[in-house]
Amino acid sequence: MERITAQYYIETPLDLEKAANILAGEQSSGTFIALPGETAELKQRFAARVESIVKMDSAHVPAIPSDKLVGGNYQRAMIEVSWSIENFGHNLPVMISTLQGNLYELTQFTGLKLMDITFPSSFANAFAGPKFGISGCRELTQVYDRPLIGTIIKPSIGMDPDQTAALVTELAHAGIDFIKDDELLGASANSPFDKRVDAIMKVINAHADRTGKKVMYAFNISAEIDQMQRNYEKIVNSGGTAAMVSLNSVGLSATKKIADLGALAIHGHRNGWGMLNRHPLLGIEFTAYQKIWRLCGVDQIHVNGIQNKFWESDDSVVSSIKACLTPLLGGYPILPVVSSGQWGGQAPETYRRTKTVDLLYMAGGGIMAHPNGPAGGVKALNQAWEAAVAGLTVEEAAIQYPEFGQSVKIFGK
Amino acid sequence: MERITAQYYIETPLDLEKAANILAGEQSSGTFIALPGETAELKQRFAARVESIVKMDSAHVPAIPSDKLVGGNYQRAMIEVSWSIENFGHNLPVMISTLQGNLYELTQFTGLKLMDITFPSSFANAFAGPKFGISGCRELTQVYDRPLIGTIIKPSIGMDPDQTAALVTELAHAGIDFIKDDELLGASANSPFDKRVDAIMKVINAHADRTGKKVMYAFNISAEIDQMQRNYEKIVNSGGTAAMVSLNSVGLSATKKIADLGALAIHGHRNGWGMLNRHPLLGIEFTAYQKIWRLCGVDQIHVNGIQNKFWESDDSVVSSIKACLTPLLGGYPILPVVSSGQWGGQAPETYRRTKTVDLLYMAGGGIMAHPNGPAGGVKALNQAWEAAVAGLTVEEAAIQYPEFGQSVKIFGK
């Protein structure tokens, strides 16, 4: 019978094997007293199984403060636990409750992070996955052999539809491939969703009619499910090509429903991610996280960026990009969205470390605040990537490309 | 204009006022360079506002490890930040992206927890809230003036519908008020959802016909939204009164959709909660968390239990129960679900500290492993609560009540 395997980074004051078995018991057939119904046959079929334990370093202070367990030595380890597909089938929410449920509550662990999940092959039949993925997003934007260049409408919130459409016009003329609403904007008092779509799509459609290039605009549809479906339909009926969903805020079941509609590329925003990942020994690692959203059918997912303005290290960003580009069950392609403090100067290092141009590369201020305006900003970003692929350093590129050179003067401090 | 206020517990190596303003900027109109569109008028209307800063203790080691900021002193504080209702209206997912979005990513904070949210009065018009709440759950089970006594089907996973129905028969005869699926069980290979509902509701309906008492069974409907709706309809059509949703796994938008259907009491399971709350300076506090789910219309929510088997302290459990019993916008009643290692011995302390019987009090092994079987277990729990309200100690109750006395001998070690 097929099994699903989860890898956890754990810390425990107990014997490692004992702790791992407590986790497996809690997340399959356990309670605090042995029960009559818990037959050997039932256990054989449904009990979670500890597959491996790899001992790592230890600490004298627990990773997460604990009132209940005071011990001398907190041992860390990487463990693998597996469940039969018979436990939850292809039900993602129940899978999550099994792999990420009460186990975080166990006193026996002073740290626990879900690092990775391995799905059996039947998952490939059960989940349609991203309807567009990397190649579909390229076709929609007609961008090949380089990253899609994108930007976020800023200020995040406060502009009315006409102001936003004016900015979109400027950006479209500047040659941008992708624009998105900020996650803070769903429908503000002065920017109702439908009016925003009308104003922006009018501009984008006109630009497409004129140039043959349709800018992909990811409207933030995040809301209750019925409203999200109405928002989605509005975009489809207006000729749009993408919708943005705040994955953690909307949640899994509603996001999957939206992604399964299949008419728009789904831009997955991971805001709230710091809560789930910022502690090294609590939560979920991006490798596991992005797999779940790929199964759900998300086409694009945020990975932060090299030298970002947030807490995340470059190593972590690189690892996230690689995770997105690694086939899942032979496919489920998802486009990594690079953003946060990006202005082009990070392109050479991003390319050096990932060797890919399969990215949606987003800059906010880096485009809007360019001395030549957005046109200069977009040009500078494309130059940065041309230089990056050619192996130039930032300094070399700044000499060769005037617009990028201007960016370096302003942002490269 | 109405404002929504969030309270955060923060830790920062920066000046407190500066750090608080960075948070407010990031979560309303900020980017890393000032933009032309960011007018004074726009800021006045949409910018988040720091309302208060209360300095607390400090530490020499950051609460959450950080590679980027190495400083000497990490100052803690309780701060309040407010947003105009004009920013996101009554859209809960966008509200969550605003109150719990990228702010966890800010390098300027080495700890950040959302402690509480204050909603303006218009929220009471926008959200129907729990359709049953405390009094509705009492009416459905005909239990008044004492806690509802409940249990979880154990083993968590592995029993087929007939085995489960046999157990439900035994529990119904034992006088139980409430039974639930484990969160690990949605539809296992040997317990398809519909067959389980058929087998269990046959027993429950027959028992109700005979005795006038309908046991509330919370079937775990957690799944993709369409499947959840089918599961929900199945329960309604079979005469059931409740559905369970794993809140964190299913997510907000789909949970609200289900709760709004209004025909079943919604049992909100918070599995995964440890990930969101276990660290004292990361995530969300239960006070804030339960308010969001009350707006969504959840009728019952887990709060752990006194002397639980998990990491959570009794103080935290007491605070959670009190949070549930505090009116929200004048209402939105939610029934706190006490569970985890409960057997009745915790009833006196639970009552002493909360002075309430408005609880769903759940015991697993505490009921099933009673020497007189489930009948003895249920009786012992009811005795424990009678004793608790009468102000008896565990020792006094053990002498007065034989079944509870037996529980003390087995579980009270």
Side-chain angles (χ1 to χ4, degrees):
Chain A
M1 193 58 62
E2 286 191 329
R3 295 185 80 80
I4 292 152
T5 305
Q7 185 189 55
Y8 299 98
Y9 180 34
I10 63 162
E11 185 190 276
T12 178
L14 304 183
D15 171 69
L16 282 176
E17 200 169 337
K18 189 179 169 188
N21 282 320
I22 286 168
L23 187 160
E26 176 70 24
Q27 293 312 104
S28 53
S29 54
T31 180
F32 73 112
I33 277 195
L35 294 173
E38 214 173 332
T39 62
E41 186 202 349
L42 180 152
K43 278 204 160 187
Q44 162 69 21
R45 189 167 176 193
F46 294 100
R49 204 158 67 196
V50 178
E51 299 286 354
S52 68
I53 300 175
V54 177
K55 197 171 169 173
M56 297 173 73
D57 59 333
S58 66
H60 289 291
V61 180
I64 299 170
S66 175
D67 292 339
K68 291 195 179 175
L69 270 183
V70 269
N73 190 53
Y74 297 89
Q75 183 63 49
R76 294 173 185 168
M78 206 65 83
I79 69 169
E80 285 182 317
V81 180
S82 73
W83 288 262
S84 168
I85 184 89
E86 293 204 314
N87 286 42
F88 44 77
H90 302 103
N91 183 325
L92 288 182
V94 178
M95 182 193 81
I96 286 171
S97 289
T98 305
L99 271 56
Q100 293 186 266
N102 279 346
L103 68 180
Y104 294 98
E105 309 261 0
L106 294 171
T107 315
Q108 292 86 350
F109 295 90
T110 52
L112 191 146
K113 193 170 213 167
L114 174 61
M115 302 301 285
D116 201 356
I117 313 173
T118 309
F119 303 110
S121 59
S122 71
F123 269 58
N125 304 321
F127 296 96
K131 310 305 172 300
F132 295 90
I134 296 171
S135 64
C137 290
R138 288 199 176 284
E139 278 166 36
L140 287 172
T141 53
Q142 293 169 45
V143 174
Y144 304 95
D145 306 319
R146 63 168 177 85
L148 279 68
I149 302 298
T151 194
I152 308 120
I153 294 291
K154 299 273 178 185
S156 306
I157 187 153
M159 287 201 293
D160 66 30
D162 288 342
Q163 292 170 317
T164 311
L167 192 54
V168 170
T169 306
E170 202 177 350
L171 288 161
H173 287 148
I176 199 102
D177 306 313
F178 175 96
I179 310 175
K180 67 179 272 291
D181 285 334
D182 194 89
E183 76 274 12
L184 301 174
L185 175 64
S188 64
N190 68 342
S191 187
F193 188 84
D194 285 4
K195 286 194 175 156
R196 190 162 78 252
V197 173
D198 284 340
I200 290 171
M201 287 315 301
K202 189 178 162 195
V203 166
I204 286 178
N205 288 331
H207 184 78
D209 289 345
R210 222 166 33 241
T211 64
K213 180 180 173 76
K214 182 170 268 190
V215 176
M216 180 180 274
Y217 192 105
F219 294 95
N220 181 15
I221 64 168
S222 305
E224 299 179 23
I225 180 79
D226 294 344
Q227 184 62 50
M228 277 206 291
Q229 289 190 257
R230 285 193 294 272
N231 292 349
Y232 187 101
E233 285 307 314
K234 176 68 186 172
I235 300 170
V236 172
N237 294 334
S238 307
T241 55
M244 164 173 149
V245 176
S246 286
L247 304 175
N248 303 314
S249 306
V250 163
L252 189 146
S253 296
T255 299
K256 182 165 191 307
K257 171 76 180 177
I258 291 295
D260 280 343
L261 297 175
L264 299 173
I266 301 299
H267 181 88
H269 199 294
R270 66 174 192 179
N271 60 82
W273 172 240
M275 184 165 73
L276 306 176
N277 176 261
R278 186 161 175 176
H279 194 287
L281 258 153
L282 185 65
I284 179 171
E285 186 64 22
F286 189 75
T287 310
Y289 181 80
Q290 52 93 30
K291 285 187 178 179
I292 295 167
W293 295 111
R294 285 161 82 173
L295 288 181
C296 274
V298 170
D299 296 285
Q300 309 173 348
I301 196 164
H302 281 242
V303 295
N304 217 329
I306 293 279
Q307 297 153 32
N308 62 76
K309 64 175 179 172
F310 292 135
W311 68 278
E312 195 174 354
S313 72
D314 288 356
D315 284 352
S316 174
V317 174
V318 168
S319 153
S320 295
I321 292 172
K322 289 182 178 170
C324 290
L325 298 176
T326 303
L328 171 64
L329 295 164
Y332 294 85
I334 193 166
L335 184 64
V337 181
V338 174
S339 74
S340 176
Q342 301 296 303
W343 56 273
Q346 299 98 328
E349 178 68 1
T350 306
Y351 187 73
R352 188 185 71 78
R353 296 199 60 180
T354 63
K355 294 288 179 235
T356 190
V357 292
D358 280 339
L359 301 170
L360 168 49
Y361 192 79
M362 309 260 294
I367 286 177
M368 298 306 300
H370 192 278
N372 291 9
V378 171
K379 200 163 188 184
L381 282 174
N382 274 308
Q383 291 167 341
W385 274 98
E386 209 175 289
V389 173
L392 302 190
T393 64
V394 170
E395 295 69 28
E396 290 165 348
I399 295 166
Q400 187 164 334
Y401 298 103
E403 287 81 4
F404 180 67
Q406 290 176 295
S407 289
V408 172
K409 280 201 192 108
I410 297 174
F411 308 119
K413 286 164 193 161
Chain B
M1 196 54 64
E2 287 189 328
R3 295 184 79 81
I4 293 153
T5 305
Q7 185 189 54
Y8 300 97
Y9 181 33
I10 62 161
E11 185 190 276
T12 178
L14 304 184
D15 170 68
L16 282 177
E17 201 169 336
K18 188 179 170 190
N21 282 320
I22 287 168
L23 188 161
E26 175 71 24
Q27 292 312 104
S28 54
S29 54
T31 181
F32 73 113
I33 278 195
L35 295 173
E38 212 172 333
T39 63
E41 185 202 351
L42 180 152
K43 278 205 160 186
Q44 163 68 21
R45 190 169 175 192
F46 294 101
R49 205 157 70 196
V50 177
E51 299 286 355
S52 68
I53 299 175
V54 177
K55 198 170 167 174
M56 297 174 73
D57 59 333
S58 66
H60 290 290
V61 179
I64 299 169
S66 175
D67 292 339
K68 291 195 179 175
L69 271 182
V70 268
N73 190 52
Y74 297 88
Q75 183 63 49
R76 293 172 185 169
M78 204 66 82
I79 69 170
E80 286 182 316
V81 180
S82 74
W83 288 261
S84 168
I85 184 89
E86 293 204 315
N87 286 42
F88 45 77
H90 301 103
N91 182 323
L92 288 182
V94 178
M95 182 192 82
I96 286 172
S97 288
T98 305
L99 272 56
Q100 293 186 265
N102 279 346
L103 69 180
Y104 294 97
E105 309 261 359
L106 293 169
T107 316
Q108 291 88 349
F109 295 90
T110 51
L112 191 146
K113 193 170 212 166
L114 174 61
M115 302 302 284
D116 202 356
I117 313 172
T118 308
F119 303 109
S121 59
S122 71
F123 269 59
N125 305 321
F127 295 97
K131 309 307 171 300
F132 295 90
I134 296 171
S135 63
C137 290
R138 287 198 175 285
E139 279 166 35
L140 287 172
T141 53
Q142 294 169 46
V143 174
Y144 304 95
D145 307 318
R146 63 169 176 84
L148 278 67
I149 303 297
T151 195
I152 308 120
I153 294 290
K154 298 272 178 185
S156 305
I157 187 153
M159 287 201 293
D160 66 30
D162 289 341
Q163 291 170 316
T164 312
L167 192 54
V168 170
T169 307
E170 202 177 350
L171 287 161
H173 286 148
I176 199 102
D177 305 313
F178 175 96
I179 310 175
K180 66 179 272 292
D181 285 334
D182 194 89
E183 76 273 13
L184 301 175
L185 175 64
S188 64
N190 68 342
S191 188
F193 188 83
D194 285 3
K195 286 196 176 157
R196 190 163 76 251
V197 173
D198 284 339
I200 290 171
M201 286 314 301
K202 189 177 162 196
V203 165
I204 286 177
N205 288 331
H207 183 77
D209 288 345
R210 224 168 29 242
T211 64
K213 181 181 173 75
K214 183 171 268 190
V215 176
M216 180 180 274
Y217 193 105
F219 294 95
N220 180 16
I221 64 169
S222 305
E224 299 178 21
I225 180 78
D226 293 344
Q227 184 62 49
M228 277 206 291
Q229 289 190 258
R230 285 194 293 271
N231 292 349
Y232 187 100
E233 285 307 315
K234 175 68 186 173
I235 300 170
V236 172
N237 294 334
S238 307
T241 55
M244 165 174 149
V245 176
S246 287
L247 304 174
N248 302 314
S249 307
V250 163
L252 190 145
S253 296
T255 299
K256 182 165 190 311
K257 170 77 180 177
I258 290 294
D260 280 344
L261 297 175
L264 299 174
I266 301 299
H267 181 89
H269 200 293
R270 66 173 192 179
N271 60 81
W273 171 240
M275 184 165 74
L276 306 175
N277 177 261
R278 186 161 174 176
H279 195 285
L281 258 153
L282 184 65
I284 179 169
E285 186 63 20
F286 189 76
T287 310
Y289 181 81
Q290 52 94 30
K291 285 185 178 179
I292 295 166
W293 295 111
R294 285 160 81 172
L295 288 181
C296 275
V298 170
D299 297 284
Q300 310 173 348
I301 196 164
H302 281 242
V303 295
N304 216 329
I306 293 280
Q307 298 154 30
N308 63 74
K309 64 176 178 172
F310 292 135
W311 68 278
E312 194 175 357
S313 72
D314 288 356
D315 284 353
S316 174
V317 174
V318 168
S319 153
S320 296
I321 292 172
K322 288 180 176 170
C324 290
L325 298 176
T326 303
L328 171 66
L329 295 163
Y332 294 83
I334 193 165
L335 184 63
V337 180
V338 175
S339 73
S340 176
Q342 301 295 303
W343 56 272
Q346 299 98 330
E349 179 68 2
T350 306
Y351 186 74
R352 187 184 72 79
R353 296 199 61 180
T354 63
K355 293 288 179 236
T356 189
V357 293
D358 280 340
L359 302 170
L360 168 49
Y361 191 79
M362 308 261 294
I367 286 177
M368 297 307 300
H370 192 278
N372 291 10
V378 172
K379 199 163 188 184
L381 283 173
N382 274 308
Q383 292 168 340
W385 275 97
E386 210 176 289
V389 173
L392 301 191
T393 63
V394 169
E395 294 70 28
E396 290 165 347
I399 294 166
Q400 188 164 333
Y401 298 103
E403 286 80 4
F404 180 67
Q406 290 176 295
S407 288
V408 173
K409 281 199 192 110
I410 297 173
F411 308 119
K413 287 166 194 162

